[in-house]
């Protein structure tokens, strides 16, 4: 019986991802043919990437209750690892123009492309590079986790925040420039072109996180969040499980960082600041701390508002009667008001700790209940 | 003591000092296989602190604890405590053994909390299943990809049986904190049993229960001792329950052991009556 259940879950997950992939192909067609929809595809791409990153943060901050602010640091490591390992050899001289083409003289996607055929090989190489990006971020998490995870709440936040800043400074350091290109941008690396590729890859990663959250380990994480002392008294090794959650979260932050590098087409360390962590934290809080579907909905709303629906507010052509009200940046004012409204009315985020399927189940029950009463 | 009696828990000269406060003072006691032993004493006597020392929540300032005839905890006054130490037996212990509470639980000791500590956001069933996490054989990989489905199924089944036993089966999907007080205490016991303990430590299991519920609990503790071959060590203020159920009783006052013995002996001990029973008559 249990086995069937698992099979069903697996099927539902795969079908959901497939549906999203098909929808994204549709979205691309719509964007190409309907006026005013040109932003649809970039917004959805960013939503896919940011969803994964937000969900990975939620695993640590929401499900395990460890308030870490180092996410931008792990994303940076992931983005740089991806970029450095996948710039085609021929283009390295141009990218690393001040450093004689840099020290890395291979490109994983290119190598696989040569080995296994241009189309399949490149994709496999890119996926492999993404995994490596995640692994390096995870390794760093393991290194700093030992001292940092002993700290409680605010101290943990400050320590991880400091770590992210240190990483950023390190990467920009001149001495490492032949590897990292210093404070110059990395670009021209291989990336996914179509929206559906982002959707499938991010979707699979999120599916894995969902599986973890609902496994016995996920339950242990939630126990640590809800009552650490009780968790320890019931035989859960706190240090080990906190570390596990931190490493998994950082792995997907690094992986997501790699996807983000793809989406942005060029990366520069200086854009991975604390405010990027705050942005993701904001998404997690809006969506609901401890809700995966909440994080995804939060991401869509956040990205949509900041990149698309509120853009018109920034266009000075819309100014009324010479009033310079609608100046660039005004959308952020409106956006902040939205955020405040959400936080005021949904104190625990849009979804709280619920998931979308829970809500559907609840509604169905309610409707059924009403029908019976009549 | 006859030779067939086996020690499950032995506390030796345990002293727990917080700054200048000696909460537990040179406490020695033992709990034998299959016994139900009570620890009583007025409010603030140091009973919960003694439990916290035994379960590894606090590191004792001095003394040691044996479990299943193995020394699991030992400490002596060190560092700042060297000067501050007000207890006895300084210099008797020279080792430091201080496993975290989860290690001790895995050895076969489980507890409930006086101020209920259920996992708030989790269902009743999950509260029990989480306590089984410490007995898992799966690792992160097999658990994530559900290769441990058999184990999960077995654990769910066992959790349901435990809930059935504690009369909680009908609320298995409710949030743990939505239960009434008495049922939350029951759930704490179910959760402790889920770790498969040899020794069960109950910190005021009947607190907040009415006389009828208390009677039921008394019978219940006796039953689970039989069924799970348990040894029980409990703190309780309900004297009916204590006198009814205990094989032996230890009495603490201001951190010190003032009496020990069978319920009959304790009931007639003048020191105990002065310190404790006299007070509880008024209450
Ligand atoms: N962490 C701590 N730091 C400082 N003092 C403490 C600490 N824990 C307990 N104490 C003190 O130790 C003494 C004993 O407290 P404890 O909770 O063990 O009493 P108790 O016998 O369980 O009482 P009750 O019947 O009210 O539960 C009290 O004076 C308390 O203030
Ligand atoms: Mg107490």
């Amino acid at each position: 019986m249990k086995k069937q259940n698992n099979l069903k879950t697996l099927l539902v997950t795969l079908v959901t991802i497939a549906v999203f992939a098909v929808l994204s192909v549709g979205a691309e067609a719509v964007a190409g043919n309907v006026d005013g929809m040109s932003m649809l595809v970039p917004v959805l791409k960013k939503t896919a990437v940011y969803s994964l990153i937000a969900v990975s943060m939620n695993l640590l901050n929401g499900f395990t209750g460890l308030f870490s602010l180092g996410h931008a640091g792990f994303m940076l490591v992931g983005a740089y690892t991806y970029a450095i390992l996948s710039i085609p050899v021929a283009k390295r001289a141009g990218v690393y123009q001040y450093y004689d083409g840099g020290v890395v003289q291979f490109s994983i996607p290119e190598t696989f492309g040569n080995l296994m055929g241009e189309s399949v090989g490149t994709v496999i190489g890119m996926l492999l590079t993404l995994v490596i990006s995640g692994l390096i971020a995870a390794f760093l998490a393991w290194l700093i986790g030992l001292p940092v995870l002993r700290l409680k709440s605010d101290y943990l936040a400050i320590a991880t925040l400091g770590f992210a800043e240190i990483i950023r400074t390190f990467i920009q350091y001149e001495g490492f420039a032949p590897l990292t290109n210093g404070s110059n941008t990395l670009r021209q690396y291989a990336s996914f072109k179509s929206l559906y590729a982002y959707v499938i890859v991010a979707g699979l990663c999120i599916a894995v996180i969902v599986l973890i959250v609902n496994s016995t380990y996920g339950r242990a994480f939630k126990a640590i969040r809800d009552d650490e002392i009780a968790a320890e008294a019931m035989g859960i090794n706190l240090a080990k499980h906190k570390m596990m959650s931190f490493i998994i979260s950082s792995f997907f932050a690094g992986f997501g960082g790699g996807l983000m590098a793809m989406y942005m087409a060029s990366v520069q360390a200086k854009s991975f600041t604390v405010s990027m962590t705050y942005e993701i934290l904001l998404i997690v809080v809006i969506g609901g701390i401890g809700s995966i579907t909440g994080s995804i909905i939060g991401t869509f709303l956040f990205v949509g508002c900041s990149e698309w629906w509120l853009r018109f507010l920034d266009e000075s052509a819309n100014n009324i009667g010479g009033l310079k009200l609608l100046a660039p940046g005004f959308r952020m004012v409106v956006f902040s008001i939205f955020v405040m409204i959400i936080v005021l009315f949904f104190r625990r985020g849009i979804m709280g700790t619920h998931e979308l399927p829970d809500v559907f189940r609840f509604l169905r029950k309610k409707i059924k209940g009403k029908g019976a009463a009549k | 003591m006859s030779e067939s009696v086996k020690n499950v828990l032995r506390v030796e000269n345990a002293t727990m000092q917080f700054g200048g406060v000696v909460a537990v003072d040179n406490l020695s006691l033992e709990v034998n296989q299959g016994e139900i032993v009570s620890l009583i004493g007025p409010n603030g006597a140091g009973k919960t602190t003694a439990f916290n020392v035994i379960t590894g929540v606090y590191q004792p300032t001095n003394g040691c604890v044996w479990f299943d005839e193995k020394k699991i905890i030992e400490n002596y006054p060190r560092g700042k405590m060297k000067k501050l130490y007000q207890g006895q037996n300084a210099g008797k212990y020279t080792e430091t053994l201080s496993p975290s509470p989860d290690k001790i639980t895995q050895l076969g000791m489980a507890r409930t909390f006086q101020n209920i500590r259920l996992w708030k956001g989790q269902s009743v069933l999950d509260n029990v299943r989480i306590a089984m996490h410490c007995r898992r054989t799966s690792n992160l990989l097999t658990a994530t990809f559900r290769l441990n489905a058999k184990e999960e199924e077995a654990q769910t089944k066992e959790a349901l049986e435990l809930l059935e036993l504690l009369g909680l089966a009908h609320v298995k999907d409710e949030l743990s904190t939505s239960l009434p007080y008495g049922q939350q205490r029951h759930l704490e016991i179910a959760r402790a049993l889920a770790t498969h303990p040899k020794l069960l430590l109950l910190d005021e299991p009947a607190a907040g229960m009415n006389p009828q519920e208390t009677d039921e609990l008394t019978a219940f503790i006796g039953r689970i001792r039989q069924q799970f071959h348990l040894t029980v060590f409990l703190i309780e203020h309900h004297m009916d329950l204590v006198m009814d159920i205990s094989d032996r009783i230890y009495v603490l006052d201001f951190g010190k052991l003032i009496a020990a013995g069978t319920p009959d002996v304790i009931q007639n001990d003048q020191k105990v009556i002065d310190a404790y029973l006299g007070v509880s008559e008024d209450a």
Side-chain angles (χ1 to χ4, degrees):
Chain A
M1 202 185 103
K2 191 84 192 175
K3 222 171 206 154
Q4 262 174 11
N5 241 341
N6 283 327
L7 223 64
K8 206 175 115 195
T9 323
L10 185 72
L11 266 173
V12 170
T13 321
L14 291 181
V15 168
T16 314
I17 294 174
V19 167
F20 272 102
V22 171
L23 283 180
S24 54
V25 173
E28 277 180 321
V30 168
N33 296 316
V34 180
D35 268 356
M37 288 300 227
S38 59
M39 279 308 287
L40 183 62
V41 170
V43 161
L44 288 180
K45 268 186 196 169
K46 193 170 177 187
T47 300
V49 175
Y50 259 51
S51 288
L52 170 60
I53 292 169
V55 168
S56 73
M57 182 190 247
N58 209 343
L59 175 71
L60 187 66
N61 292 29
F63 287 96
T64 321
L66 293 170
F67 194 63
S68 150
L69 291 178
H71 234 59
F74 295 111
M75 288 157 65
L76 170 62
V77 169
Y80 261 67
T81 309
Y82 181 80
I84 290 168
L85 293 180
S86 60
I87 299 172
V89 177
K91 292 179 180 160
R92 282 187 187 264
V95 175
Y96 289 87
Q97 51 183 331
Y98 306 112
Y99 307 101
D100 296 334
V103 285
V104 180
Q105 285 303 336
F106 61 88
S107 155
I108 296 179
E110 203 177 38
T111 311
F112 273 77
N114 292 340
L115 276 174
M116 305 169 68
E118 181 74 40
S119 53
V120 182
T122 310
V123 170
I124 291 179
M126 282 157 75
L127 290 175
L128 185 71
T129 317
L130 282 174
V131 171
I132 295 172
S133 310
L135 287 178
I136 291 191
F139 175 71
L140 267 179
W142 177 73
L143 278 187
I144 68 157
L146 284 174
V148 161
L149 289 175
R150 288 181 194 191
L151 302 171
K152 293 252 148 53
S153 58
D154 314 358
Y155 300 101
L156 173 65
I158 291 166
T160 45
L161 195 148
F163 156 77
E165 289 297 291
I166 291 169
I167 285 282
R168 194 159 57 85
T169 317
F170 254 93
I171 283 191
Q172 287 174 299
Y173 171 55
E174 273 299 310
F176 299 140
L179 179 67
T180 63
N181 212 12
S183 47
N184 307 298
T185 52
L186 288 169
R187 54 209 148 74
Q188 299 194 321
Y189 41 80
S191 55
F192 293 141
K193 294 285 169 288
S194 340
L195 172 57
Y196 70 83
Y198 289 92
V199 170
I200 291 175
V201 173
L204 284 175
C205 288
I206 293 175
V208 170
I209 297 180
V210 171
L211 283 174
I212 292 174
V213 164
N214 292 322
S215 76
T216 177
Y217 286 87
R219 289 197 295 268
F221 294 162
K222 288 180 241 174
I224 292 174
R225 169 193 68 189
D226 285 350
D227 193 324
E228 205 173 284
I229 293 175
E232 200 176 25
M234 294 304 135
I236 294 171
N237 186 330
L238 293 185
K240 187 174 154 190
H241 285 82
K242 285 180 178 178
M243 181 65 107
M244 225 180 236
S245 173
F246 191 46
I247 287 177
I248 298 167
S249 166
S250 303
F251 173 85
F252 286 109
F255 194 104
L259 277 178
M260 196 167 136
M262 282 188 191
Y263 155 79
M264 298 198 309
S266 73
V267 284
Q268 198 171 9
K270 83 170 187 226
S271 56
F272 289 79
T273 52
V274 183
S275 59
M276 186 178 273
T277 303
Y278 290 153
E279 230 171 68
I280 297 156
L281 185 65
L282 183 68
I283 290 173
V284 171
V285 170
I286 290 177
I289 295 176
S291 166
I292 286 170
T293 39
S295 289
I296 297 170
I297 294 169
T299 309
F300 182 60
L301 294 179
F302 177 86
V303 175
C305 282
S306 58
E307 312 266 322
W308 186 12
W309 306 319
L310 297 182
R311 275 283 175 196
F312 72 94
L313 292 172
D314 279 11
E315 284 160 18
S316 36
N318 291 342
N319 273 345
I320 318 150
L323 260 176
K324 268 239 161 224
L325 187 62
L326 301 182
F330 186 67
R331 79 192 147 101
M332 289 323 287
V333 176
V334 176
F335 180 69
S336 310
I337 295 172
F338 279 167
V339 170
M340 269 190 254
I341 291 173
I342 289 183
V343 173
L344 279 177
F345 286 94
F346 299 89
R347 205 139 296 171
R348 308 185 55 217
I350 296 170
M351 299 294 288
T353 54
H354 302 290
E355 298 293 348
L356 211 47
D358 297 342
V359 176
F360 287 146
R361 222 168 286 145
F362 176 76
L363 287 178
R364 203 185 307 152
K365 227 190 222 167
K366 210 166 178 186
I367 292 165
K368 252 192 204 158
K370 259 194 192 144
K374 276 173 193 167
Chain B
M1 208 168 285
S2 76
E3 274 167 39
S4 64
V5 173
K6 192 178 151 230
N7 254 185
V8 171
L9 176 73
R10 185 148 60 88
V11 179
E12 222 182 271
N13 306 114
T15 300
M16 184 73 234
Q17 186 173 336
F18 299 106
V21 181
V22 188
V24 172
D25 195 352
N26 200 27
L27 174 67
S28 295
L29 55 80
E30 21 181 65
V31 179
N32 300 320
Q33 178 89 56
E35 270 187 321
I36 296 183
V37 176
S38 295
L39 182 62
I40 63 172
N43 289 109
K47 306 179 295 292
T48 300
T49 307
F51 265 30
N52 283 337
V53 166
I54 294 166
T55 53
V57 175
Y58 296 146
Q59 189 181 14
T61 319
N62 191 42
C64 71
V65 177
W66 297 67
F67 180 65
D68 240 2
E69 302 182 334
K70 243 178 56 199
K71 197 194 284 170
I72 57 167
I73 298 170
E74 177 166 349
N75 200 18
Y76 58 94
R78 290 170 298 154
K80 217 168 62 187
M81 259 304 152
K82 222 170 179 171
K83 261 204 217 121
L84 274 174
Y85 186 63
Q86 296 165 17
Q88 293 142 27
N89 292 307
K92 183 168 174 188
Y93 300 96
T94 53
E95 232 187 307
T96 300
L97 254 174
S98 155
S100 52
D102 58 289
K103 302 267 162 17
I104 294 179
T105 303
Q106 300 211 347
L107 290 176
M109 205 192 279
R111 71 174 294 181
T112 64
F113 292 92
Q114 177 176 0
N115 45 346
I116 299 173
R117 281 184 175 276
L118 294 169
W119 294 298
K120 300 183 216 62
Q122 312 306 313
S123 72
V124 169
L125 179 63
D126 276 346
N127 262 273
V128 179
R129 286 204 299 175
I130 290 168
M132 293 172 173
H133 182 70
C134 65
R135 294 193 281 113
R136 71 191 178 278
T137 56
S138 59
N139 57 35
L140 185 62
L141 214 62
T142 56
T144 300
F145 296 103
R146 302 298 188 269
L147 303 173
N148 64 341
K150 259 207 189 106
E151 185 176 69
E152 286 271 302
E153 198 181 349
Q155 288 192 343
T156 307
K157 188 160 159 267
E158 193 195 328
L160 286 171
E161 282 166 9
L162 276 173
L163 290 178
E164 188 78 48
L165 187 73
L166 281 134
L168 294 169
H170 61 292
V171 288
K172 69 179 166 64
D173 296 321
E174 309 271 323
L175 274 188
S176 61
T177 38
S178 72
L179 300 183
Y181 204 66
Q183 289 191 337
Q184 291 195 21
R185 291 225 174 269
H186 278 120
L187 181 53
E188 277 233 339
I189 298 179
R191 189 175 70 168
L193 289 176
T195 65
H196 283 194
K198 290 177 206 147
L199 174 66
L200 182 62
L201 301 164
L202 303 171
D203 196 345
E204 305 204 13
M209 287 187 180
N210 63 34
Q212 192 206 334
E213 286 172 326
T214 308
D215 283 347
E216 282 167 16
L217 184 74
T218 311
F220 175 76
I221 292 173
R223 268 210 318 278
I224 55 171
R225 161 167 70 165
Q226 290 289 328
Q227 187 174 344
F228 297 98
H229 308 290
L230 277 178
T231 305
V232 181
F233 188 30
L234 73 125
I235 297 175
E236 197 36 81
H237 280 298
H238 282 69
M239 277 310 121
D240 299 344
L241 187 152
V242 170
M243 295 304 163
D244 196 7
I245 205 175
S246 310
D247 295 313
R248 288 184 302 116
I249 299 172
Y250 287 99
V251 189
L252 269 187
D253 194 18
F254 294 110
K256 285 199 179 70
L257 203 59
I258 57 167
T262 59
D264 287 338
V265 174
I266 295 296
Q267 259 167 328
N268 301 315
D269 188 303
Q270 193 54 46
K271 265 210 241 143
V272 177
I273 294 169
D274 289 348
Y276 191 95
L277 297 180
V279 179
S280 85
E281 240 159 48
D282 296 340

